[in-house]
Amino acid sequence: MRRQAICIAAVAAVVALAPAGRGVIAADHLDAPTRTDAAVDPTPDIPADIADVYAWHTATKVIIAVSFAGPGPAARPATYDRDVLYTINIANGPVKTKPSFAIKYRFGVDRSGGTPRYGVQVTGAPGTSGAITGPVETRLEKDGVIARAGLFDDPFIFDLQGFRATRSSGVLQFNNQRDFFAGTNLTVFIIEIPRDRIENEDNPIGIWATSARFGGNL
C-alpha cells in the first residue's frame, strides 16, 4: 500500500520557500479511506496514515515535520511499525512533482535487552554521509542535519464538529473555541536541514510525504 500527504493550501501543491517566509500546512487524516478509515475498513492501517505535513524555514535552515498514526488519546503510546517506509520528497527544480531529494525513514525495535527499545533510521538527507540512526525520543545529529521521532501533542487546530455540521446543512457553523484535536497525540518525525542544501536560487520548493507498507499493494 502506498499513500501520500501533500502540503496544500486551497489547491496549491507545493510549499514555497519564498523570501516572505510564508508556508502552508494541510491535514490529511484517514486518507486513503479504504485503507485507513475505520468507518470504511474495520482493520485500518493506522501506522501508514499520514496526518499532517508541516514545513517552514529560517534564514539558515528548513524544518519539516510529518505526523502520522493519529490523532489518539494522550495515554496511547507512539506508533512505530517496522514494515512501513515513510518518504519526505523535496523538489527544487521546475517540476514540483519530481523529487530532487527523497528522505526515507523507518523504525525498528531492539529486544536484546529484554525491554523493547525503538529506534529510527534516516537515509537520503541532503549532505549526509550514510544513515542517521538512533533511538526515538532523542535528538539525533549527523553532518549538520538534526532529526527526532517521537510522541507529540497534535498541533493541528480544527473544529471538526462545525465542519461536519456545515457540510450537512450548507450553513457555516464553525466555532473558533472548539478544537477537535485538543488533548490528542500523534507520532511525529521532524528533520532540520541547512537551507543551502535545498534551495535552488529563487525556485519554489515542493515538499510532500508518502508512506508505503512492505508486502502491501502498490
Side-chain angles (χ1 to χ4, degrees):
M1 183 192 71
R2 186 176 181 86
R3 41 96 60 217
Q4 65 181 17
I6 304 177
C7 292
I8 60 173
V11 294
V14 300
V15 176
L17 191 59
R22 292 177 297 175
V24 295
I25 57 178
D28 193 54
H29 299 270
L30 309 182
D31 181 22
T34 56
R35 296 302 298 271
T36 61
D37 189 347
V40 180
D41 186 337
T43 58
D45 193 344
I46 293 175
D49 184 19
I50 295 175
D52 308 289
V53 178
Y54 301 90
W56 65 99
H57 66 89
T58 69
T60 58
K61 58 189 177 184
V62 174
I63 304 96
I64 305 167
V66 180
S67 61
F68 54 96
R76 193 172 79 185
T79 299
Y80 306 117
D81 189 324
R82 67 185 297 274
D83 292 326
V84 177
L85 176 67
Y86 304 88
T87 304
I88 297 173
N89 299 282
I90 302 173
N92 67 0
V95 181
K96 298 309 170 201
T97 55
K98 181 179 180 180
S100 308
F101 308 99
I103 303 170
K104 300 181 184 295
Y105 63 95
R106 60 178 302 193
F107 300 99
V109 59
D110 178 7
R111 302 182 186 276
S112 60
T115 300
R117 299 176 60 194
Y118 291 94
V120 62
Q121 180 188 72
V122 186
T123 59
T128 57
S129 56
I132 303 171
T133 60
V136 299
E137 301 289 358
T138 304
R139 174 188 167 108
L140 307 174
E141 187 168 2
K142 182 180 178 67
D143 298 331
V145 173
I146 300 170
R148 183 184 181 99
L151 193 66
F152 289 84
D153 176 64
D154 192 335
F156 200 80
I157 300 172
F158 187 66
D159 177 16
L160 183 62
Q161 178 183 338
F163 170 75
R164 288 171 173 168
T166 299
R167 186 173 60 180
S168 62
S169 68
V171 179
L172 286 176
Q173 300 186 52
F174 287 99
N175 181 342
N176 63 7
Q177 300 302 308
R178 282 193 305 241
D179 178 16
F180 173 81
F181 298 100
T184 63
N185 286 340
L186 289 159
T187 309
V188 182
F189 174 78
I190 305 170
I191 189 165
E192 178 181 304
I193 307 165
R195 176 171 169 161
D196 58 9
R197 300 183 189 179
I198 294 177
E199 64 184 355
N200 183 10
E201 298 180 344
D202 59 353
N203 288 327
I205 303 298
I207 298 174
W208 69 101
T210 66
S211 64
R213 175 167 293 284
F214 292 101
N217 297 320
L218 292 179

